[in-house]
């Protein structure tokens, strides 16, 4: 057997799991240890989306999170005899996924060193994490609690916003794991210690250090941000104006939408444009004058519980609009205060085309 397959294949094994509910430890353990691949896949698929969000928090990269959750499910299948039913199947999978991420973070395959930009007010964690990627809201919704899964938790903005994701990447990997398991997943110290093979004392110490470091990298006003909801009428109006001004190359209108201290980061480039004028100076050559790129189109979407805009351009002589980037936007009191811009390679995850 090659490992658990997707849920579309799980049904081929019949109704072996139809009567098994999450938390029925003995029955689940017996089914898993029996080597029923279809039954295992059906149980595992219930948790795929939330496990991917968990891996995303650990790694900050949507692409890497996809790879890690698949590796975690394969590892769980290969080690199925170790599941004894003392914890829920979900908790067992979380433990494996966390350690898969820790293994990846300790390996040489990809540099995970944050790059310090500037000091003081012009420093931004968003500009210091080159591997940072956005996460589509349509997939975050699938990671929320489902029917019959009372221990799953909704994906709150405060634990999935880009500022938080970038900030926790500054933590050592094991401190990051402790913080996520304790403060996000809500695990008690004893379970966290068992998952990470640490003492309870070490977990408490790591959590204290992680929280202190996190405060240094999170925006000062973050505690005052509004909870995740559908965009207000005011925010929708701002977004419409932003999209229209972008399409028309209207820098005057764009300037009116930006707060004076607005900031724009552009992972993976270690760049931070701090202030309205710096942002406009960066936009000006591509929107107006002889070097302007061409005709623009925008599509509204959402990422990390924030509105986002996918931008396309049709250059002179071309018949199609080609994807340029994705802007994730934060709006406060009717003005844009933060834009995080990603390359067009992230658009497939949002179900958006590369060419219009």
């Amino acid at each position: 057997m090659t490992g658990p397959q997707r849920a579309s294949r799980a049904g081929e094994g019949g109704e072996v799991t139809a009567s098994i509910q999450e938390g029925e430890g003995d029955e689940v353990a017996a089914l898993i240890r029996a080597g029923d691949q279809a039954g295992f896949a059906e149980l595992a698929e219930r948790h795929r989306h939330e496990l991917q969000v968990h891996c995303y928090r650990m790694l900050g990269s949507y692409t890497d999170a996809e790879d890690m959750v698949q590796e975690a499910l394969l590892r769980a299948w290969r080690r199925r005899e170790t599941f004894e039913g003392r914890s829920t199947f979900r908790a067992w999978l979380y433990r494996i996924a966390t350690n898969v991420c820790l293994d990846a973070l300790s390996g040489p395959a990809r540099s995970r060193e944050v790059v310090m930009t500037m000091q003081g007010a012009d420093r931004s964690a968003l500009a210091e994490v080159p591997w940072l990627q956005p996460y589509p809201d349509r997939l975050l919704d699938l990671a929320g609690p489902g029917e019959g899964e009372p221990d799953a938790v909704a994906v709150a903005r405060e634990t999935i916003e880009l500022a938080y994701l970038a900030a926790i990447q500054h933590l050592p990997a094991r401190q990051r794991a402790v913080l996520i398991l304790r403060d996000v997943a809500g695990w008690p110290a004893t379970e966290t210690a068992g998952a990470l093979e640490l003492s309870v004392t070490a977990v408490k110490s790591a959590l204290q250090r992680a929280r202190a470091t996190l405060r240094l990298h999170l925006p000062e006003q973050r505690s005052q941000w509004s909870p995740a909801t559908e965009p207000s009428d005011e925010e929708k109006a701002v977004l419409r104006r932003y999209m229209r001004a972008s399409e028309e190359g209207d820098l005057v209108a764009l300037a009116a939408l930006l707060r004076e201290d607005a900031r724009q980061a552009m992972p993976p480039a270690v760049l931070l444009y701090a202030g309205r004028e710096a942002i406009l100076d960066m936009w000006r050559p591509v929107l107006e004058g002889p070097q302007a790129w061409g005709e623009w189109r925008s599509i509204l979407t959402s990422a990390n519980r924030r509105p986002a805009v996918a931008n396309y351009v049709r250059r002179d002589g071309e018949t199609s609009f080609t994807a340029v980037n994705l802007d994730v936007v934060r709006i406060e009191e009717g003005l844009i205060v933060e834009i995080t811009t990603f390359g067009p390679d992230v658009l497939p995850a949002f179900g958006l085309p590369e060419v219009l």
Side-chain angles (χ1 to χ4, degrees):
M1 295 187 181
T2 59
Q5 305 300 313
R6 295 277 180 172
S8 59
R9 296 284 308 278
E12 297 175 6
E15 300 179 353
V16 292
T17 62
S19 63
I20 295 180
Q21 300 296 319
E22 181 64 69
E24 297 289 337
D26 292 341
E27 289 186 78
V28 173
L31 180 146
I32 292 170
R33 290 200 301 269
D36 184 330
Q37 187 174 6
F40 181 94
E42 184 177 343
L43 289 172
E45 282 298 321
R46 298 176 186 176
H47 306 290
R48 177 181 289 274
H49 290 291
E50 63 172 306
L51 286 172
Q52 185 166 325
V53 173
H54 174 65
C55 292
Y56 174 65
R57 289 191 181 101
M58 284 289 299
L59 302 170
S61 163
Y62 173 85
T63 303
D64 289 349
E66 279 191 310
D67 294 341
M68 292 303 102
V69 77
Q70 187 62 18
E71 172 59 28
L73 295 182
L74 288 170
R75 189 178 294 187
W77 168 252
R78 296 181 187 125
R79 299 179 182 179
R80 58 192 179 277
E81 72 283 351
T82 66
F83 180 66
E84 300 176 349
R86 288 197 292 264
S87 65
T88 65
F89 182 60
R90 174 179 178 267
W92 183 67
L93 290 177
Y94 261 77
R95 175 175 184 164
I96 292 172
T98 301
N99 283 285
V100 165
C101 291
L102 288 173
D103 289 346
L105 290 168
S106 66
R110 180 174 176 180
S111 173
R112 290 284 177 176
E113 294 296 324
V114 296
V115 182
M116 296 302 178
T117 52
M118 294 162 270
Q119 300 297 320
D122 288 339
R123 182 176 169 186
S124 169
L126 290 167
E128 297 173 346
V129 183
W131 59 88
L132 186 68
Q133 292 180 327
Y135 204 106
D137 275 8
R138 65 186 183 92
L139 299 182
L140 289 176
D141 292 339
L142 297 176
E147 185 177 354
E149 298 178 24
D151 56 350
V153 293
V155 181
R157 172 186 286 177
E158 64 182 6
T159 67
I160 203 66
E161 64 196 14
L162 288 170
Y164 179 83
L165 266 296
I168 64 175
Q169 300 305 302
H170 288 72
L171 300 175
R174 202 160 292 272
Q175 280 188 31
R176 194 183 316 165
V178 169
L179 181 84
I180 292 170
L181 290 175
R182 293 284 285 118
D183 284 357
V184 178
W187 283 27
T190 52
E191 289 186 26
T192 302
L196 301 176
E197 298 182 351
L198 297 171
S199 68
V200 171
T201 299
V203 164
K204 292 180 178 178
S205 176
L207 181 61
Q208 185 178 25
R209 294 197 302 274
R211 286 171 174 169
T213 301
L214 195 61
R215 285 193 291 271
L216 299 176
H217 296 283
L218 285 173
E220 291 183 4
Q221 303 301 318
R222 179 174 176 270
S223 62
Q224 300 175 19
W225 291 0
S226 59
T229 60
E230 289 296 314
S232 67
D233 290 342
E234 181 182 51
E235 288 176 320
K236 290 178 181 177
V238 171
L239 290 168
R240 286 194 296 269
R241 290 165 58 199
Y242 177 71
M243 293 169 68
R244 183 168 60 250
S246 297
E247 290 178 344
E248 296 174 355
D250 188 341
L251 286 171
V252 174
L254 287 168
L257 293 170
L258 293 170
R259 200 168 71 183
E260 186 177 359
D261 61 349
R263 291 154 34 120
Q264 182 171 6
M266 306 176 69
V270 187
L271 296 171
L272 177 67
Y273 296 90
R276 180 197 297 138
E277 292 306 316
I279 295 173
L280 293 173
D281 286 345
M282 184 265 294
W283 288 352
R284 186 169 288 108
V286 303
L287 292 178
E288 66 178 21
Q291 302 302 315
W293 286 10
E295 183 181 0
W296 291 81
R297 286 288 180 271
S298 300
I299 296 177
L300 183 64
T301 184
S302 55
N304 299 76
R305 301 306 190 205
R306 295 284 181 187
V309 177
N311 298 298
Y312 297 77
V313 69
R314 185 175 68 184
R315 298 177 186 268
D316 290 343
E318 297 181 352
T319 59
S320 301
F321 288 84
T322 302
V324 174
N325 56 38
L326 178 81
D327 291 335
V328 182
V329 181
R330 181 160 62 88
I331 299 169
E332 291 182 7
E333 299 179 351
L335 292 174
I336 295 171
V337 299
E338 185 175 83
I339 303 171
T340 310
T341 301
F342 299 93
D345 56 304
V346 305
L347 293 183
F350 290 79
L352 294 172
E354 296 181 2
V355 177
L356 294 177

